Coordinates of all heavy atoms in Angstrom, one line a residue:
M1 N -7.2 -5.4 7.9 CA -6.8 -4.0 7.9 C -6.6 -3.5 9.3 O -7.5 -3.0 10.0 CB -8.0 -3.2 7.3 CG -8.2 -3.6 5.8 SD -9.4 -2.4 5.0 CE -10.8 -2.8 6.0
T2 N -5.3 -3.8 9.8 CA -5.0 -3.4 11.1 C -3.6 -2.7 11.1 O -2.8 -2.8 10.2 CB -4.9 -4.5 12.1 OG1 -4.0 -5.5 11.7 CG2 -6.3 -5.2 12.2
F3 N -3.3 -1.9 12.1 CA -2.0 -1.4 12.4 C -1.2 -2.5 13.0 O -1.7 -3.4 13.7 CB -2.0 -0.2 13.3 CG -2.4 1.1 12.7 CD1 -3.5 1.8 13.2 CD2 -1.8 1.6 11.6 CE1 -4.0 2.9 12.6 CE2 -2.2 2.8 11.0 CZ -3.2 3.5 11.5
P4 N 0.1 -2.5 12.8 CA 1.0 -3.6 13.4 C 0.8 -3.5 14.9 O 0.8 -2.4 15.5 CB 2.4 -3.2 13.0 CG 2.2 -2.4 11.7 CD 0.9 -1.7 11.9
G5 N 0.6 -4.6 15.6 CA 0.5 -4.6 17.0 C -0.9 -4.3 17.5 O -1.2 -4.3 18.7
Q6 N -1.9 -4.1 16.6 CA -3.3 -3.8 17.0 C -4.2 -4.9 16.5 O -4.0 -5.5 15.5 CB -3.7 -2.4 16.3 CG -2.9 -1.2 16.7 CD -3.0 -0.9 18.2 OE1 -4.1 -0.9 18.7 NE2 -1.9 -0.6 18.8
E7 N -5.2 -5.1 17.3 CA -6.2 -6.2 17.0 C -7.4 -5.6 16.2 O -8.1 -6.4 15.6 CB -6.6 -6.9 18.2 CG -5.5 -7.6 19.0 CD -4.8 -8.7 18.1 OE1 -5.5 -9.4 17.4 OE2 -3.5 -8.7 18.2
K8 N -7.6 -4.3 16.3 CA -8.8 -3.7 15.7 C -8.6 -3.4 14.3 O -7.5 -2.8 14.0 CB -9.3 -2.5 16.5 CG -9.7 -2.9 18.0 CD -10.1 -1.6 18.7 CE -10.5 -2.0 20.1 NZ -10.9 -0.8 20.8
P9 N -9.6 -3.6 13.4 CA -9.4 -3.1 12.0 C -9.3 -1.6 11.9 O -9.8 -0.9 12.8 CB -10.7 -3.6 11.4 CG -11.3 -4.6 12.3 CD -10.8 -4.3 13.7
F10 N -8.7 -1.1 10.8 CA -8.5 0.2 10.6 C -8.9 0.5 9.1 O -8.4 -0.1 8.2 CB -7.1 0.7 10.8 CG -6.8 2.1 10.3 CD1 -7.2 3.2 11.1 CD2 -6.1 2.3 9.2 CE1 -6.9 4.5 10.8 CE2 -5.9 3.6 8.8 CZ -6.2 4.7 9.5
L11 N -9.9 1.4 8.9 CA -10.3 1.8 7.6 C -10.4 3.3 7.6 O -11.1 3.9 8.4 CB -11.7 1.2 7.3 CG -12.3 1.6 5.9 CD1 -11.4 1.2 4.8 CD2 -13.7 1.0 5.8
E12 N -9.7 4.0 6.7 CA -9.7 5.4 6.6 C -10.5 5.9 5.4 O -10.2 5.4 4.2 CB -8.3 6.0 6.5 CG -8.2 7.5 6.5 CD -6.8 7.9 6.5 OE1 -6.0 7.4 5.7 OE2 -6.4 8.7 7.4
L13 N -11.6 6.7 5.5 CA -12.4 7.2 4.4 C -12.1 8.7 4.3 O -12.1 9.4 5.3 CB -13.8 6.9 4.7 CG -14.3 5.5 4.9 CD1 -15.7 5.4 5.3 CD2 -14.0 4.7 3.7
L14 N -11.9 9.1 3.1 CA -11.6 10.5 2.8 C -12.6 11.0 1.8 O -13.0 10.3 0.9 CB -10.2 10.7 2.2 CG -9.1 10.2 3.1 CD1 -7.7 10.2 2.4 CD2 -9.0 11.0 4.4
E15 N -12.9 12.3 1.8 CA -13.8 12.9 0.8 C -13.1 14.1 0.2 O -12.5 14.9 0.9 CB -15.1 13.3 1.5 CG -16.1 14.0 0.5 CD -17.4 14.4 1.2 OE1 -17.5 14.3 2.4 OE2 -18.3 14.8 0.4
Y16 N -13.2 14.2 -1.1 CA -12.6 15.4 -1.8 C -13.7 16.3 -2.3 O -14.8 15.8 -2.7 CB -11.7 14.9 -2.9 CG -10.5 14.1 -2.4 CD1 -10.6 12.7 -2.2 CD2 -9.3 14.8 -2.2 CE1 -9.5 12.0 -1.8 CE2 -8.2 14.0 -1.7 CZ -8.3 12.7 -1.5 OH -7.2 12.0 -1.0
K17 N -13.4 17.6 -2.5 CA -14.3 18.5 -3.0 C -14.4 18.6 -4.5 O -15.3 19.1 -5.0 CB -14.0 19.9 -2.4 CG -14.2 20.0 -0.9 CD -14.0 21.4 -0.4 CE -14.0 21.4 1.2 NZ -15.3 21.7 1.7
S18 N -13.3 18.1 -5.2 CA -13.3 18.2 -6.6 C -12.6 17.0 -7.1 O -12.0 16.2 -6.4 CB -12.6 19.4 -7.1 OG -11.2 19.4 -6.7
S19 N -12.8 16.7 -8.4 CA -12.2 15.5 -9.1 C -11.8 15.9 -10.5 O -12.3 16.8 -11.1 CB -13.2 14.4 -9.0 OG -14.3 14.6 -9.9
E20 N -11.1 14.9 -11.1 CA -10.7 15.0 -12.5 C -10.6 13.6 -13.0 O -10.2 12.7 -12.3 CB -9.4 15.8 -12.6 CG -8.2 15.2 -11.9 CD -6.9 16.1 -12.1 OE1 -6.9 17.2 -11.5 OE2 -6.0 15.6 -12.8
D21 N -10.9 13.5 -14.3 CA -10.8 12.2 -14.9 C -9.3 11.8 -15.1 O -8.5 12.7 -15.5 CB -11.5 12.2 -16.3 CG -13.0 12.2 -16.1 OD1 -13.5 11.8 -15.1 OD2 -13.7 12.8 -17.0
R22 N -9.0 10.5 -15.0 CA -7.6 10.1 -15.2 C -7.7 8.5 -15.5 O -8.6 7.9 -15.0 CB -6.6 10.4 -14.1 CG -6.7 9.5 -12.9 CD -7.7 10.2 -12.0 NE -7.6 9.5 -10.7 CZ -8.7 8.9 -10.1 NH1 -9.8 9.0 -10.7 NH2 -8.6 8.4 -8.9
S23 N -6.7 8.0 -16.2 CA -6.8 6.6 -16.5 C -6.3 5.7 -15.3 O -6.9 4.8 -14.9 CB -6.0 6.3 -17.7 OG -4.6 6.7 -17.6
D24 N -5.1 6.0 -14.8 CA -4.6 5.3 -13.7 C -4.4 6.3 -12.5 O -3.6 7.2 -12.6 CB -3.2 4.6 -14.0 CG -3.4 3.4 -14.9 OD1 -4.4 2.7 -14.8 OD2 -2.5 3.1 -15.7
P25 N -5.2 6.1 -11.4 CA -5.0 7.0 -10.3 C -3.6 6.9 -9.6 O -3.0 5.8 -9.6 CB -6.1 6.6 -9.3 CG -6.3 5.1 -9.6 CD -6.1 5.0 -11.1
K26 N -3.2 8.0 -9.0 CA -1.9 8.0 -8.3 C -2.2 7.7 -6.8 O -3.4 7.8 -6.4 CB -1.2 9.3 -8.5 CG -0.7 9.5 -9.9 CD 0.1 10.8 -10.1 CE 0.7 10.9 -11.5 NZ -0.3 11.0 -12.5
V27 N -1.3 7.5 -6.0 CA -1.5 7.2 -4.6 C -2.2 8.3 -3.9 O -3.1 8.0 -3.0 CB -0.1 6.9 -3.9 CG1 -0.3 6.7 -2.4 CG2 0.5 5.6 -4.5
D28 N -2.0 9.5 -4.2 CA -2.6 10.6 -3.5 C -3.7 11.4 -4.2 O -4.0 12.5 -4.0 CB -1.6 11.7 -3.1 CG -0.8 12.2 -4.2 OD1 -1.0 11.8 -5.4 OD2 -0.1 13.2 -4.0
E29 N -4.4 10.7 -5.1 CA -5.5 11.3 -5.9 C -6.9 10.8 -5.4 O -7.0 9.9 -4.7 CB -5.3 11.0 -7.4 CG -4.2 11.7 -8.0 CD -4.2 11.5 -9.5 OE1 -4.9 10.6 -10.0 OE2 -3.5 12.2 -10.2
L30 N -7.9 11.5 -5.9 CA -9.3 11.3 -5.6 C -9.7 9.8 -6.0 O -9.2 9.3 -6.9 CB -10.1 12.2 -6.3 CG -11.7 12.1 -6.2 CD1 -12.1 12.4 -4.8 CD2 -12.3 13.0 -7.2
G31 N -10.6 9.3 -5.2 CA -11.1 8.0 -5.5 C -10.5 6.9 -4.6 O -10.0 7.2 -3.6
L32 N -10.7 5.7 -5.0 CA -10.1 4.6 -4.2 C -8.6 4.7 -4.4 O -8.0 4.5 -5.4 CB -10.6 3.2 -4.8 CG -9.9 2.0 -4.2 CD1 -10.2 1.9 -2.7 CD2 -10.2 0.7 -4.9
R33 N -8.0 5.2 -3.3 CA -6.6 5.5 -3.4 C -5.7 4.3 -3.4 O -5.0 4.1 -4.2 CB -6.2 6.5 -2.3 CG -6.9 7.8 -2.5 CD -6.8 8.8 -1.5 NE -5.5 9.0 -0.9 CZ -5.2 9.7 0.1 NH1 -6.2 10.3 0.7 NH2 -4.0 9.8 0.6
H34 N -5.9 3.5 -2.3 CA -5.2 2.2 -2.3 C -5.7 1.3 -1.2 O -6.4 1.8 -0.2 CB -3.7 2.4 -2.1 CG -3.2 3.0 -0.8 ND1 -3.3 4.4 -0.5 CD2 -2.8 2.4 0.3 CE1 -2.8 4.6 0.7 NE2 -2.5 3.4 1.2
L35 N -5.4 0.1 -1.3 CA -5.7 -0.9 -0.3 C -4.3 -1.3 0.4 O -3.3 -1.4 -0.3 CB -6.3 -2.2 -0.9 CG -7.7 -2.0 -1.5 CD1 -8.1 -3.2 -2.3 CD2 -8.7 -1.5 -0.6
S36 N -4.4 -1.6 1.7 CA -3.2 -1.8 2.4 C -3.2 -3.2 3.0 O -4.2 -3.6 3.6 CB -3.0 -0.8 3.5 OG -1.8 -1.0 4.2
F37 N -2.1 -4.0 2.9 CA -2.0 -5.3 3.4 C -0.7 -5.6 4.1 O 0.3 -5.2 3.6 CB -2.2 -6.4 2.3 CG -3.4 -6.3 1.5 CD1 -3.5 -5.6 0.3 CD2 -4.6 -7.0 2.0 CE1 -4.7 -5.5 -0.4 CE2 -5.8 -6.9 1.2 CZ -5.8 -6.2 0.1
E38 N -0.8 -6.2 5.3 CA 0.4 -6.6 6.0 C 0.7 -8.0 5.4 O -0.1 -8.9 5.4 CB 0.2 -6.7 7.5 CG 1.4 -7.0 8.2 CD 1.3 -7.0 9.8 OE1 0.2 -6.5 10.2 OE2 2.1 -7.5 10.5
V39 N 2.0 -8.2 5.0 CA 2.5 -9.4 4.4 C 3.6 -10.0 5.2 O 4.4 -9.2 5.9 CB 2.8 -9.3 2.9 CG1 1.6 -8.9 2.1 CG2 3.9 -8.2 2.7
A40 N 3.9 -11.3 5.2 CA 5.0 -11.9 5.8 C 6.3 -11.7 5.2 O 7.3 -11.5 5.8 CB 4.7 -13.4 6.0
D41 N 6.3 -11.6 3.8 CA 7.5 -11.5 3.0 C 7.2 -10.5 1.9 O 6.7 -10.9 0.9 CB 8.0 -12.8 2.5 CG 9.3 -12.8 1.7 OD1 9.7 -11.7 1.3 OD2 9.9 -13.8 1.6
I42 N 7.6 -9.3 2.1 CA 7.3 -8.2 1.1 C 7.9 -8.5 -0.3 O 7.2 -8.3 -1.3 CB 7.6 -6.8 1.7 CG1 6.8 -5.7 1.0 CG2 9.1 -6.5 1.6 CD1 6.9 -4.4 1.7
Q43 N 9.1 -8.9 -0.3 CA 9.8 -9.2 -1.6 C 9.1 -10.3 -2.4 O 8.9 -10.1 -3.6 CB 11.3 -9.5 -1.4 CG 12.1 -9.5 -2.7 CD 12.0 -8.2 -3.5 OE1 12.3 -7.1 -2.9 NE2 11.5 -8.3 -4.7
S44 N 8.8 -11.4 -1.7 CA 8.1 -12.5 -2.5 C 6.7 -12.1 -2.9 O 6.3 -12.5 -4.0 CB 8.1 -13.8 -1.6 OG 7.2 -13.7 -0.6
T45 N 6.0 -11.3 -2.1 CA 4.7 -10.8 -2.5 C 4.8 -9.9 -3.7 O 4.0 -10.0 -4.7 CB 4.1 -10.0 -1.4 OG1 4.0 -10.9 -0.2 CG2 2.6 -9.6 -1.7
I46 N 5.8 -9.0 -3.7 CA 6.1 -8.1 -4.9 C 6.3 -9.0 -6.2 O 5.7 -8.8 -7.2 CB 7.3 -7.2 -4.7 CG1 6.9 -6.2 -3.7 CG2 7.7 -6.5 -6.0 CD1 8.1 -5.3 -3.1
T47 N 7.1 -10.0 -6.0 CA 7.5 -10.9 -7.1 C 6.2 -11.5 -7.7 O 6.0 -11.6 -8.9 CB 8.5 -11.9 -6.7 OG1 9.7 -11.3 -6.3 CG2 8.8 -12.9 -7.8
K48 N 5.3 -12.0 -6.8 CA 4.1 -12.7 -7.3 C 3.2 -11.7 -8.0 O 2.6 -12.0 -9.0 CB 3.4 -13.3 -6.1 CG 4.1 -14.5 -5.5 CD 3.4 -15.0 -4.3 CE 4.2 -16.1 -3.7 NZ 3.7 -16.6 -2.4
I49 N 3.1 -10.5 -7.5 CA 2.2 -9.5 -8.1 C 2.8 -9.1 -9.5 O 2.0 -9.0 -10.5 CB 2.1 -8.2 -7.2 CG1 1.3 -8.6 -5.9 CG2 1.4 -7.1 -8.0 CD1 1.2 -7.5 -4.9
L50 N 4.1 -8.9 -9.6 CA 4.7 -8.6 -10.9 C 4.5 -9.8 -11.9 O 4.2 -9.5 -13.1 CB 6.2 -8.3 -10.7 CG 6.5 -7.0 -9.9 CD1 8.0 -6.9 -9.8 CD2 5.9 -5.8 -10.6
E51 N 4.6 -11.0 -11.5 CA 4.4 -12.2 -12.3 C 3.0 -12.3 -12.8 O 2.7 -12.8 -13.9 CB 4.8 -13.4 -11.6 CG 6.3 -13.6 -11.4 CD 6.7 -14.8 -10.6 OE1 5.8 -15.4 -9.9 OE2 7.9 -15.1 -10.4
A52 N 2.1 -11.7 -12.0 CA 0.6 -11.8 -12.4 C 0.2 -10.6 -13.3 O -0.9 -10.4 -13.6 CB -0.2 -11.8 -11.1
G53 N 1.2 -9.7 -13.6 CA 0.9 -8.6 -14.5 C 0.9 -7.2 -13.8 O 0.4 -6.2 -14.4
G54 N 1.3 -7.2 -12.5 CA 1.3 -5.9 -11.8 C 2.4 -5.0 -12.2 O 3.3 -5.4 -13.1
A55 N 2.6 -3.9 -11.6 CA 3.7 -2.9 -11.9 C 4.2 -2.2 -10.6 O 3.4 -1.9 -9.8 CB 3.2 -1.9 -12.9
K56 N 5.5 -2.0 -10.6 CA 6.1 -1.3 -9.4 C 5.7 0.1 -9.5 O 5.7 0.8 -10.5 CB 7.5 -1.5 -9.4 CG 8.0 -2.9 -9.0 CD 9.5 -3.1 -8.9 CE 10.0 -2.4 -7.7 NZ 11.5 -2.6 -7.6
L57 N 5.5 0.7 -8.3 CA 5.3 2.2 -8.2 C 6.4 2.9 -7.4 O 6.4 4.1 -7.4 CB 3.9 2.5 -7.5 CG 2.7 2.1 -8.3 CD1 1.4 2.4 -7.6 CD2 2.7 2.9 -9.6
G58 N 7.2 2.1 -6.7 CA 8.2 2.7 -5.9 C 9.1 1.5 -5.4 O 9.0 0.4 -5.7
E59 N 10.0 1.9 -4.5 CA 10.9 1.0 -3.9 C 10.5 0.7 -2.4 O 9.8 1.5 -1.8 CB 12.3 1.5 -3.9 CG 12.9 1.8 -5.3 CD 12.9 0.6 -6.2 OE1 13.3 -0.5 -5.6 OE2 12.6 0.7 -7.4
I60 N 10.9 -0.4 -1.9 CA 10.6 -0.7 -0.5 C 11.4 0.3 0.4 O 12.5 0.6 0.2 CB 11.1 -2.1 -0.1 CG1 10.4 -3.2 -1.0 CG2 11.0 -2.4 1.4 CD1 11.0 -4.6 -0.9
T61 N 10.6 0.9 1.3 CA 11.1 1.9 2.2 C 10.9 1.4 3.7 O 9.9 0.9 4.0 CB 10.4 3.2 2.0 OG1 10.5 3.6 0.6 CG2 11.0 4.3 2.9
N62 N 11.9 1.7 4.5 CA 11.9 1.3 5.9 C 11.4 2.5 6.7 O 12.2 3.5 6.9 CB 13.3 0.8 6.4 CG 13.2 0.4 7.8 OD1 12.2 0.3 8.5 ND2 14.4 0.0 8.4
F63 N 10.2 2.4 7.2 CA 9.6 3.4 8.1 C 9.8 3.2 9.5 O 9.4 3.9 10.4 CB 8.1 3.6 7.8 CG 7.8 4.4 6.5 CD1 7.8 3.8 5.3 CD2 7.6 5.8 6.6 CE1 7.5 4.5 4.1 CE2 7.3 6.4 5.4 CZ 7.3 5.8 4.2
G64 N 10.6 2.1 9.8 CA 10.9 1.8 11.2 C 12.3 2.2 11.5 O 12.8 3.3 11.0
T65 N 13.0 1.4 12.2 CA 14.5 1.6 12.5 C 15.3 0.5 12.1 O 14.7 -0.6 11.6 CB 14.6 1.8 14.1 OG1 14.3 0.5 14.7 CG2 13.7 2.9 14.6
T66 N 16.6 0.6 12.2 CA 17.4 -0.6 11.9 C 17.1 -1.8 12.7 O 17.1 -2.9 12.2 CB 18.9 -0.1 12.0 OG1 19.1 1.0 11.3 CG2 19.9 -1.3 11.6
D67 N 16.9 -1.5 14.0 CA 16.6 -2.6 14.9 C 15.2 -3.1 14.8 O 14.9 -4.3 15.2 CB 16.9 -2.2 16.4 CG 18.3 -1.9 16.6 OD1 19.2 -2.5 16.0 OD2 18.6 -1.0 17.5
A68 N 14.3 -2.3 14.4 CA 12.8 -2.7 14.3 C 12.3 -2.2 13.0 O 11.5 -1.2 12.9 CB 12.1 -2.2 15.5
P69 N 12.7 -2.9 11.9 CA 12.2 -2.4 10.5 C 10.7 -2.5 10.4 O 10.1 -3.4 10.9 CB 12.9 -3.3 9.6 CG 13.6 -4.3 10.3 CD 13.5 -4.0 11.8
F70 N 10.2 -1.6 9.6 CA 8.7 -1.6 9.2 C 8.8 -1.2 7.7 O 8.8 0.0 7.3 CB 7.9 -0.6 10.0 CG 6.5 -0.5 9.6 CD1 5.7 -1.6 9.3 CD2 5.9 0.8 9.6 CE1 4.4 -1.4 9.0 CE2 4.6 1.0 9.2 CZ 3.8 -0.2 8.9
Y71 N 8.7 -2.2 6.8 CA 8.9 -2.0 5.4 C 7.5 -1.7 4.8 O 6.5 -2.4 5.0 CB 9.5 -3.2 4.7 CG 10.9 -3.5 5.3 CD1 11.1 -4.7 6.0 CD2 11.9 -2.7 5.1 CE1 12.3 -5.0 6.5 CE2 13.2 -3.0 5.6 CZ 13.4 -4.1 6.3 OH 14.6 -4.4 6.8
I72 N 7.6 -0.7 3.8 CA 6.3 -0.4 3.1 C 6.7 -0.2 1.6 O 7.8 0.4 1.3 CB 5.7 0.9 3.6 CG1 5.2 0.7 5.0 CG2 4.6 1.4 2.7 CD1 4.6 1.9 5.7
V73 N 5.8 -0.6 0.7 CA 6.0 -0.4 -0.7 C 4.6 -0.2 -1.4 O 3.7 -0.8 -0.9 CB 6.8 -1.5 -1.4 CG1 6.1 -2.8 -1.5 CG2 7.3 -1.0 -2.8
Y74 N 4.6 0.6 -2.4 CA 3.3 0.7 -3.2 C 3.6 0.0 -4.5 O 4.7 0.1 -5.1 CB 3.0 2.2 -3.5 CG 2.5 3.0 -2.3 CD1 3.4 3.8 -1.6 CD2 1.2 2.9 -1.9 CE1 2.9 4.5 -0.5 CE2 0.7 3.5 -0.8 CZ 1.6 4.4 -0.1 OH 1.2 5.1 1.0
I75 N 2.5 -0.7 -5.0 CA 2.6 -1.5 -6.2 C 1.2 -1.5 -6.8 O 0.2 -1.3 -6.1 CB 3.1 -2.9 -5.9 CG1 3.5 -3.7 -7.1 CG2 2.2 -3.7 -5.0 CD1 4.4 -4.9 -6.9
R76 N 1.1 -1.6 -8.1 CA -0.1 -1.7 -8.8 C -0.4 -3.2 -9.2 O 0.5 -3.8 -9.7 CB -0.1 -0.9 -10.1 CG -1.4 -0.5 -10.6 CD -1.3 0.5 -11.8 NE -0.8 1.8 -11.4 CZ -1.5 2.8 -11.0 NH1 -2.8 2.6 -10.7 NH2 -0.9 4.0 -10.7
D77 N -1.7 -3.6 -8.8 CA -2.0 -5.0 -9.2 C -2.3 -5.1 -10.7 O -2.3 -4.1 -11.4 CB -3.1 -5.6 -8.3 CG -4.5 -5.0 -8.6 OD1 -4.7 -4.3 -9.6 OD2 -5.4 -5.2 -7.7
C78 N -2.6 -6.4 -11.1 CA -2.8 -6.6 -12.6 C -4.1 -5.9 -13.1 O -4.3 -5.7 -14.3 CB -2.9 -8.1 -12.9 SG -4.2 -8.9 -12.0
E79 N -4.9 -5.4 -12.2 CA -6.2 -4.6 -12.6 C -6.0 -3.1 -12.5 O -6.9 -2.4 -12.7 CB -7.4 -5.1 -11.8 CG -7.7 -6.6 -12.2 CD -8.9 -7.0 -11.4 OE1 -9.4 -6.3 -10.4 OE2 -9.4 -8.1 -11.7
G80 N -4.8 -2.7 -12.1 CA -4.5 -1.3 -12.0 C -4.7 -0.7 -10.6 O -4.5 0.5 -10.4
N81 N -5.2 -1.5 -9.6 CA -5.4 -1.0 -8.3 C -4.1 -0.8 -7.6 O -3.2 -1.6 -7.7 CB -6.2 -2.0 -7.4 CG -7.6 -2.3 -8.1 OD1 -8.4 -1.3 -8.3 ND2 -7.9 -3.5 -8.4
I82 N -4.0 0.2 -6.8 CA -2.8 0.5 -6.0 C -2.9 -0.3 -4.7 O -3.9 -0.2 -3.9 CB -2.6 2.0 -5.7 CG1 -2.5 2.7 -7.1 CG2 -1.4 2.2 -4.8 CD1 -2.5 4.3 -6.9
L83 N -1.8 -1.0 -4.4 CA -1.7 -1.7 -3.1 C -0.6 -1.2 -2.3 O 0.5 -0.9 -2.9 CB -1.4 -3.2 -3.4 CG -2.4 -3.9 -4.3 CD1 -2.0 -5.3 -4.5 CD2 -3.9 -3.8 -3.8
E84 N -0.7 -1.1 -1.0 CA 0.3 -0.7 -0.1 C 0.7 -2.0 0.7 O -0.2 -2.6 1.3 CB -0.1 0.3 0.9 CG 0.9 0.7 1.9 CD 0.4 1.7 3.0 OE1 -0.5 2.4 2.7 OE2 1.0 1.8 4.0
L85 N 1.9 -2.5 0.5 CA 2.3 -3.7 1.2 C 3.1 -3.3 2.4 O 4.0 -2.5 2.3 CB 3.1 -4.6 0.2 CG 2.4 -5.0 -1.0 CD1 3.4 -5.9 -1.9 CD2 1.1 -5.7 -0.8
E86 N 2.9 -3.9 3.6 CA 3.6 -3.6 4.8 C 4.2 -4.9 5.4 O 3.5 -5.9 5.4 CB 2.7 -3.0 5.8 CG 2.1 -1.7 5.3 CD 1.1 -1.1 6.3 OE1 0.9 -1.7 7.4 OE2 0.6 0.0 6.0
Q87 N 5.4 -4.9 5.7 CA 6.0 -6.0 6.4 C 6.7 -5.5 7.7 O 7.6 -4.6 7.7 CB 7.1 -6.7 5.6 CG 7.8 -7.8 6.3 CD 8.9 -8.4 5.5 OE1 8.9 -8.4 4.3 NE2 10.0 -8.8 6.2
V88 N 6.2 -6.0 8.8 CA 6.8 -5.7 10.1 C 7.7 -6.8 10.5 O 7.3 -8.0 10.6 CB 5.7 -5.5 11.2 CG1 6.3 -5.2 12.5 CG2 4.7 -4.5 10.8
S89 N 9.0 -6.5 10.6 CA 10.0 -7.6 11.0 C 10.1 -7.7 12.5 O 10.2 -6.6 13.2 CB 11.3 -7.3 10.3 OG 11.2 -7.3 9.0
V90 N 10.1 -8.9 13.0 CA 10.2 -9.1 14.5 C 11.5 -9.7 14.8 O 12.1 -10.4 14.1 CB 9.1 -10.0 15.0 CG1 8.2 -9.2 15.9 CG2 8.3 -10.7 14.0

């Protein structure tokens, strides 16, 4: 759990004042929101998660630049957990 280019782990904890019951949490809702992983190949990781019974939550988005892309996508694993996949291209 690190930022690209950083050696130290990063963990963000949030607390909400209210909650509501729901079957599948959304990315911005109360509770375990999502886990984030840096991956070497975001597309092949998505394929493996989908083959294992996961579901797409969005499309790959470039949060970097054309010269220095930083790809992010949200996906749900086979147990319903939301994963944020990040790929930093060098």
Side-chain angles (χ1 to χ4, degrees):
M1 295 188 297
T2 60
F3 282 122
Q6 299 294 316
E7 298 299 321
K8 296 180 181 180
F10 172 77
L11 176 62
E12 184 176 52
L13 301 174
L14 302 170
E15 180 180 8
Y16 295 89
K17 294 183 187 264
S18 63
S19 66
E20 61 184 66
D21 291 331
R22 79 270 190 233
S23 57
D24 284 330
K26 295 184 174 64
V27 174
D28 61 351
E29 287 185 348
L30 176 67
L32 173 64
R33 291 174 45 188
H34 68 276
L35 299 172
S36 181
F37 298 96
E38 184 175 348
V39 297
D41 183 342
I42 201 166
Q43 189 57 58
S44 70
T45 305
I46 290 169
T47 300
K48 290 175 186 174
I49 292 170
L50 294 176
E51 288 172 351
K56 287 180 74 175
L57 290 178
E59 300 300 322
I60 298 171
T61 303
N62 183 3
F63 281 86
T65 64
T66 304
D67 295 332
F70 176 44
Y71 300 112
I72 296 178
V73 70
Y74 289 101
I75 192 164
R76 199 175 293 277
D77 71 10
C78 62
E79 294 179 349
N81 300 302
I82 298 171
L83 306 177
E84 176 183 343
L85 305 179
E86 302 178 0
Q87 177 187 325
V88 180
S89 296
V90 250

